[in-house]
Amino acid sequence: MSTPAIPFKYMPSPLFTDPYADAWTVPFWEATMREQLTAPKCTNCGKFRLPPSRWCAQCHMQDLEYVDLPGTGTLYSFIIVRHALTPDQKDYVPYIPAVVDADGAPGCRFVSNIVDVEPEDVKVGMPVKVVWNRVSETLTLPFWTAA
Amino acid sequence: MKDKAAIVGIGQTERYRRGASLPKSMMDMAIEATLKALDDAGLTVNDLDGFAFYGGAPADPGSMAYLLGVPHVKFAATLTAGGSGAAGSVGMAAAVINAGLANVCVSLFVLQQVPTGRFGGSSEGPRRLPSAGGGGAYGGSTNVSPEAAFVSPASIMSPGHNFSMLTQRHMYQYGTKREHFAEVCISQRNNAMKRPQSVRQTPLTLEDYFAARMISDPLCLFDYTMEDDGAIAVITTSVDRARDLPHPPVLISGSGIGGTGNNAHLLGNFQMPDLSFASAGARDVAKQMYAMAEVGPQDVDVALLYDHFSPMVLMQLEDFQFCPVGESGPFVAEGNIRYGTGSIPVNTHGGNLSDFYCPGMTHIVEGVEQIRGTAINQVEGAEIALVTGGPSSIPMTGTILKKDR
Ligand SMILES: [Zn+2]
């Protein structure tokens, strides 16, 4: 996948420039720089967990490994923000926050946005794929679009 | 603690639209409501010895005790999270009284939604990686955790956005329609229109509903609670003492204050199990509460369900077992929640949506008035009322109020 030269349609406002990460989450952000979607998995019991919390709720161990995902999934739910909550949002509505069930990581949902799809065409259950938004030299964000 | 404590007094300030309470302070209003509630109960500051709050109130018991001159404070605590604790605050008061920690507790909420401090409002202004769920009591700090970086970039900025996400899934899973949300809004407005003290009196039609602007599709303007200023307090004491006071005691018969760990981030990261994603997160709490009170949904005469967003009333009808999971849409479409004709009248005062937004306190007050028999939209012969707190983070709460003897 190549990095698009122009921003995606229906992107949310760019409110940030740097990832805020710790030892548990750095591998995810490093992989995004290579445009690779990953998900954290408990090295002890194998349970995926998002966000990559510091404890596994199933076995109470802390260690994680990040596994590569195919970057496809199913749209679990979404909303269409049509009303700008704050003045700085005015040029960015509508935008489409979304929850995605990612293939290859059962029990994990990515919270992101649907881009490049007309709002009226977005449906729960539709197949989606990840697209990459290179925000800065240090931050690349996954968005999702119709597969 | 079943039936061992009772609500004996209610007190309210004037009801203001957002920002109109200035130059009063929040503490001014908290004290005023408390004094009025004590007066209604036939008690004084000398009797008051407990503070059982939720959502931070947001008023500091220490400051209140100082300003009121409370001689002995024997208990002071606030339930975590926000409006979800409303109904549980009186449950906590009952537990505290039953345990002998205190004798007379006040529970209250005060709201002053000046632009810099809107409860449940949006996260405003430029920022780096805002926390999910927006500002105010829902955790709008700009110092976010690395975990929040997995949610924040989506620009999910307010509780309304979060609950729209749950709602969309409910519509997908069960075929719930916007007409069903409209029925919640319209039935509650009809109730408010009969009450002079309710803030929103303008008639609301289905046509008005569908003409309103969409805020976060699928939710429109009328699905969102509006914003107000004011304070409401209630007084709880032991049932033995309550029987000597001016009003008939309103027994606290059962209360649930909790939830389940895998649903605990209802408002934040959307990782709830599939079967409880589109819910109010209150199924556990409902079971505990009914078991304690030894009643079931079929025994409830009036349901005061926290309504920050209209679809959450539907999901609570399911969680508190008035209809099977997934069937709340058709249930309300059949007229079941209407005052006067429905099988379970809901929010007979108009709720947060149309009566007055003082996160959940009006629901407690309406429950008390229904059991006292003094409600304006009185449910004839009402003996059992359900009061709930607003779906959000743990604790979700629900309380059964009951007529004495
Ligand atoms: Zn594990």
Side-chain angles (χ1 to χ4, degrees):
Chain A
M1 274 172 278
S2 63
T3 305
I6 53 162
F8 302 99
K9 202 172 176 188
Y10 305 120
M11 271 178 55
S13 65
L15 292 165
F16 44 83
T17 52
D18 299 307
Y20 189 72
D22 65 7
W24 275 263
T25 66
V26 155
F28 179 87
W29 297 108
E30 286 178 349
T32 62
M33 296 301 293
R34 307 190 305 272
E35 303 194 347
Q36 174 64 54
L37 191 70
T38 60
K41 184 180 179 181
C42 175
T43 50
N44 184 54
C45 77
K47 183 182 162 63
F48 282 95
R49 58 188 204 252
L50 264 181
S53 52
R54 286 153 182 258
W55 293 93
C56 174
Q58 186 162 283
C59 75
H60 308 129
M61 300 298 278
Q62 291 199 269
D63 288 347
L64 282 177
E65 60 179 325
Y66 277 84
V67 300
D68 288 354
L69 302 182
T72 54
T74 306
L75 183 58
Y76 188 80
S77 194
F78 71 97
I79 67 172
I80 305 165
V81 178
R82 297 189 183 275
H83 174 76
L85 285 190
T86 56
D88 62 305
Q89 297 284 306
K90 246 189 257 165
D91 296 333
Y92 295 92
V93 289
Y95 66 92
I96 311 166
V99 177
V100 171
D101 267 340
D103 292 339
C108 275
R109 300 198 192 105
F110 284 91
V111 181
S112 179
N113 300 82
I114 297 293
V115 294
D116 279 352
V117 184
E118 293 307 308
E120 53 273 22
D121 294 333
V122 180
K123 306 284 179 216
V124 174
M126 72 191 274
V128 290
K129 64 179 181 189
V130 74
V131 287
W132 297 101
N133 177 32
R134 189 168 286 271
V135 178
S136 71
E137 286 306 302
T138 54
L139 179 64
T140 296
L141 284 175
F143 287 151
W144 298 79
T145 193
Chain B
M1 65 175 229
K2 177 176 184 267
D3 300 337
K4 287 185 178 160
I7 300 176
V8 293
I10 53 186
Q12 316 185 38
T13 64
E14 191 181 324
R15 296 165 165 212
Y16 308 89
R17 294 290 181 121
R18 175 167 72 87
S21 61
L22 294 169
K24 286 189 179 182
S25 74
M26 293 176 80
M27 189 56 79
D28 287 343
M29 295 192 286
I31 298 274
E32 181 186 336
T34 301
L35 287 171
K36 284 178 168 168
L38 283 167
D39 193 51
D40 183 57
L43 297 169
T44 73
V45 162
N46 292 327
D47 300 301
L48 179 65
D49 58 7
F51 296 81
F53 288 177
Y54 66 97
D60 167 46
S63 305
M64 286 189 66
Y66 172 74
L67 290 168
L68 285 164
V70 176
H72 303 287
V73 178
K74 295 178 177 168
F75 180 83
T78 181
L79 295 175
T80 51
S84 58
S89 65
V90 293
M92 174 165 65
V96 161
I97 289 159
N98 191 43
L101 283 168
N103 300 303
V104 175
C105 288
V106 60
S107 301
L108 69 82
F109 210 89
V110 54
L111 205 56
Q112 185 173 60
Q113 307 229 58
V114 291
T116 50
R118 295 161 74 173
F119 188 73
S122 66
S123 22
E124 297 186 55
R127 61 203 184 279
R128 289 173 58 199
L129 290 175
S131 67
Y138 292 101
S141 163
T142 50
N143 300 315
V144 300
S145 71
E147 290 174 25
F150 286 77
V151 177
S152 301
S155 281
I156 295 168
M157 295 176 67
S158 75
H161 291 177
N162 293 65
F163 288 111
S164 296
M165 196 73 82
L166 273 51
T167 301
Q168 183 84 265
R169 186 70 194 176
H170 199 277
M171 297 170 88
Y172 171 80
Q173 277 181 316
Y174 306 121
T176 316
K177 295 182 171 66
R178 290 190 63 208
E179 281 81 355
H180 302 145
F181 314 150
E183 168 61 15
V184 171
C185 301
I186 291 168
S187 64
Q188 293 191 195
R189 181 62 59 88
N190 289 347
N191 295 342
M193 282 166 56
K194 299 184 196 120
R195 292 163 42 86
Q197 67 270 56
S198 289
V199 174
R200 289 167 189 89
Q201 300 276 346
T202 321
L204 177 63
T205 66
L206 196 60
E207 198 178 23
D208 298 331
Y209 178 87
F210 278 100
R213 70 172 186 270
M214 293 301 280
I215 306 293
S216 53
D217 199 335
L219 298 193
C220 74
L221 180 69
F222 290 115
D223 295 312
Y224 275 64
T225 186
M226 288 178 259
E227 296 177 301
D228 299 306
D229 287 6
I232 299 178
V234 300
I235 303 293
T236 302
T237 190
S238 68
V239 70
D240 292 340
R241 189 159 183 185
R243 286 179 181 140
D244 296 330
L245 296 175
H247 293 287
V250 175
L251 305 186
I252 295 166
S253 202
S255 192
I257 304 174
T260 59
N262 59 13
N263 246 44
H265 284 82
L266 186 70
L267 206 62
N269 62 26
F270 303 107
Q271 306 295 324
M272 300 84 85
D274 189 40
L275 290 174
S276 59
F277 186 95
S279 82
R283 290 173 196 163
D284 243 45
V285 162
K287 278 183 206 150
Q288 284 176 49
M289 176 200 71
Y290 285 136
M292 183 184 293
E294 297 178 282
V295 297
Q298 70 283 355
D299 302 311
V300 175
D301 298 306
V302 55
L304 295 320
L305 306 179
Y306 192 106
D307 52 329
H308 38 16
F309 302 98
S310 59
M312 300 319 291
V313 171
L314 300 184
M315 295 184 214
Q316 287 177 90
L317 286 167
E318 298 173 4
D319 282 11
F320 286 93
Q321 306 166 19
F322 294 102
C323 64
V325 169
E327 293 180 21
S328 56
F331 183 78
V332 301
E334 287 161 10
N336 279 301
I337 63 171
R338 292 263 173 163
Y339 169 66
T341 53
S343 63
I344 177 66
V346 168
N347 294 342
T348 41
H349 58 315
N352 289 330
L353 293 172
S354 284
D355 177 40
F356 180 58
Y357 181 53
C358 186
M361 284 305 298
T362 62
H363 299 70
I364 299 175
V365 167
E366 178 70 5
V368 170
E369 291 185 347
Q370 288 285 352
I371 299 304
R372 284 181 178 177
T374 59
I376 290 175
N377 295 318
Q378 181 66 41
V379 173
E380 209 177 321
E383 296 194 349
I384 294 179
L386 166 66
V387 184
T388 72
S392 72
S393 304
I394 277 181
M396 264 300 301
T397 66
T399 294
I400 293 284
L401 303 179
K402 195 170 85 177
K403 202 179 175 79
D404 190 24
R405 286 170 182 167

